């Protein structure tokens, strides 16, 4: 496990140690030995984290990991303690923070040579950030004017399950691809770059995009956003349609007939997206 993953995991652990504070404050935990042990563990963990940051200049990784964990804890608290009206938003914060934190950890663990701060995908693109803001605006607007819409439990949990499934499927594809996986389209073939056709890649040519597409659309099911559900579906489909088209040009250049045969027998993984065809050249 490389140092990036260690610092990220230590940041997650340190932040998560604050979670018992609520139960201590409420008096649910009264055993003095447990309280003292929690305080000591929290202090030691944060001192250890500070030492790692200072010695290895990993502040940028640590604070992002720490804040994503804090957002997850906030989302969990909203979902668990607040009114049912806010359940979907609390779960949304959980799946959002989990997705971004998981992207960094998966890259650090499965392909550490390509790790960078951009692996968090926190600033993917202007369009990505605008779409996220619009989804939150729609959610709270509908919550204010039509609060009943936000209490459809079966839709909330369906969206939540699809989010987790899509995210998990993407992380499995990152693990399967290993060093051949990168967040950016590669235009030069590395020595370690291999054509992966086993595991989830035997089901879809681009399983990481399949998982991301499912996750993206499912977030709007979770938020019960009818307008953004349509918008996210169209925008995500368009993004992956273009991405797959250009990525497959490079893959055909890298692997030639091997990729062409693979392409003929395995679907792309995004509905109605065929990718690049030699007849288009």
């Amino acid at each position: 496990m490389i140092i990036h993953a260690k610092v990220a995991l230590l940041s997650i652990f340190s932040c998560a140690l604050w979670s018992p504070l609520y139960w201590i404050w409420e008096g649910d935990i009264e055993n003095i030995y447990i309280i003292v042990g929690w305080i000591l563990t929290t202090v030691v963990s944060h001192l250890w984290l500070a030492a790692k940051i200072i010695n290895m200049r990993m502040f940028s990784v640590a604070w992002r990991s720490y804040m994503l964990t804090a957002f997850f804890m906030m989302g969990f608290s909203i979902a668990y303690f607040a009114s049912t009206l806010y359940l979907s938003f609390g779960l949304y914060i959980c799946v959002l923070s989990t997705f971004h934190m998981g992207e960094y950890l998966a890259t650090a663990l499965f392909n550490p040579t390509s790790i960078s701060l951009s692996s968090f995908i926190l600033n993917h693109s202007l369009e990505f950030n605008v779409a996220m803001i619009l989804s939150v605006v729609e959610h709270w607007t509908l919550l204010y004017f039509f609060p009943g819409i936000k209490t459809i439990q079966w839709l909330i949990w369906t969206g939540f399950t699809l989010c987790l499934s899509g995210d998990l499927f993407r992380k499995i594809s990152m693990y399967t691809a290993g060093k051949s996986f990168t967040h950016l389209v590669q235009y030069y073939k590395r020595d370690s770059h291999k054509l992966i056709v086993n595991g989830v890649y035997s089901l879809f040519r681009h399983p990481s995009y399949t998982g991301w597409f499912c996750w993206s659309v499912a977030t709007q099911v979770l938020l019960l956003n009818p307008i953004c559900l349509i918008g996210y579906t169209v925008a995500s489909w368009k993004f992956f349609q273009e991405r797959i088209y250009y990525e497959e040009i490079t893959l055909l250049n890298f692997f030639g007939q091997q990729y062409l045969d693979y392409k003929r027998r395995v679907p792309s993984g995004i509905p109605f997206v065929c990718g690049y065809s030699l007849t288009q050249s």
Side-chain angles (χ1 to χ4, degrees):
M1 186 187 302
I2 66 166
I3 189 60
H4 297 81
K6 290 181 178 179
V7 171
L9 289 171
L10 181 58
S11 302
I12 293 171
F13 177 73
S14 299
C15 185
L17 282 173
W18 291 105
S19 56
L21 185 62
Y22 171 82
W23 286 278
I24 294 174
W25 182 268
E26 290 293 311
D28 295 330
I29 300 177
E30 297 180 346
N31 189 305
I32 187 63
Y33 297 105
I34 294 178
I35 295 175
V36 171
W38 166 74
I39 293 173
L40 289 175
T41 303
T42 303
V43 170
V44 170
S45 174
H46 281 76
L47 288 175
W48 188 14
L49 176 61
K52 288 283 187 182
I53 293 172
I54 293 171
N55 291 337
M56 300 169 187
R57 300 179 181 179
M58 300 288 286
F59 177 75
S60 296
V61 173
W63 81 258
R64 284 170 172 81
S65 302
Y66 200 96
M67 290 307 299
L68 283 171
T69 307
F71 274 112
F72 177 88
M73 292 166 60
M74 180 179 71
F76 178 84
S77 299
I78 293 172
Y80 188 80
F81 296 109
S83 164
T84 306
L85 280 174
Y86 308 108
L87 173 64
S88 63
F89 190 71
L91 293 176
Y92 172 71
I93 295 176
C94 288
V95 299
L96 190 65
S97 55
T98 300
F99 174 82
H100 289 289
M101 191 67 248
E103 287 293 303
Y104 186 85
L105 282 175
T107 304
L109 293 171
F110 308 144
N111 188 13
T113 57
S114 69
I115 193 71
S116 69
L117 290 178
S118 63
S119 300
F120 282 104
I121 318 186
L122 288 170
N123 191 25
H124 179 270
S125 64
L126 176 61
E127 294 81 3
F128 183 87
N129 295 333
V130 169
M132 191 179 301
I133 293 171
L134 289 176
S135 71
V136 173
V137 169
E138 181 184 354
H139 175 80
W140 286 100
T141 301
L142 289 175
L143 182 65
Y144 182 81
F145 289 104
F146 309 101
I149 294 178
K150 301 301 180 180
T151 59
I152 307 175
Q153 295 268 337
W154 70 270
L155 263 181
I156 293 174
W157 290 110
T158 297
F160 181 70
T161 302
L162 289 173
C163 283
L164 294 184
S165 300
D167 195 8
L168 178 61
F169 195 76
R170 177 171 168 81
K171 299 309 185 284
I172 291 174
S173 71
M174 294 173 71
Y175 166 75
T176 304
K179 292 183 179 180
S180 293
F181 181 91
T182 58
H183 280 109
L184 301 175
V185 176
Q186 301 298 296
Y187 296 98
Y188 300 96
K189 187 176 183 293
R190 307 183 311 276
D191 292 337
S192 61
H193 201 163
K194 300 177 180 178
L195 179 61
I196 310 298
V197 297
N198 61 297
V200 290
Y201 285 84
S202 65
L203 302 175
F204 304 116
R205 299 198 305 275
H206 304 277
S208 66
Y209 296 161
T210 305
W212 196 351
F213 180 77
C214 176
W215 178 88
S216 175
V217 174
T219 59
Q220 302 313 299
V221 177
L222 171 59
L223 284 174
L224 302 169
N225 284 348
I227 297 175
C228 279
L229 174 59
I230 298 172
Y232 267 59
T233 302
V234 173
S236 297
W237 185 90
K238 184 64 176 176
F239 170 79
F240 289 118
Q241 186 264 341
E242 294 179 354
R243 175 100 171 199
I244 288 173
Y245 178 87
Y246 290 109
E247 185 170 324
E248 292 199 332
I249 293 176
T250 65
L251 290 170
L252 282 166
N253 287 330
F254 291 169
F255 303 107
Q257 188 63 41
Q258 184 184 8
Y259 187 80
L260 190 60
D261 294 339
Y262 172 64
K263 183 178 185 297
R264 284 170 176 164
R265 69 175 185 269
V266 179
S268 69
I270 304 295
F272 309 110
V273 171
C274 298
Y276 178 79
S277 173
L278 289 177
T279 58
Q280 295 172 296
S281 58

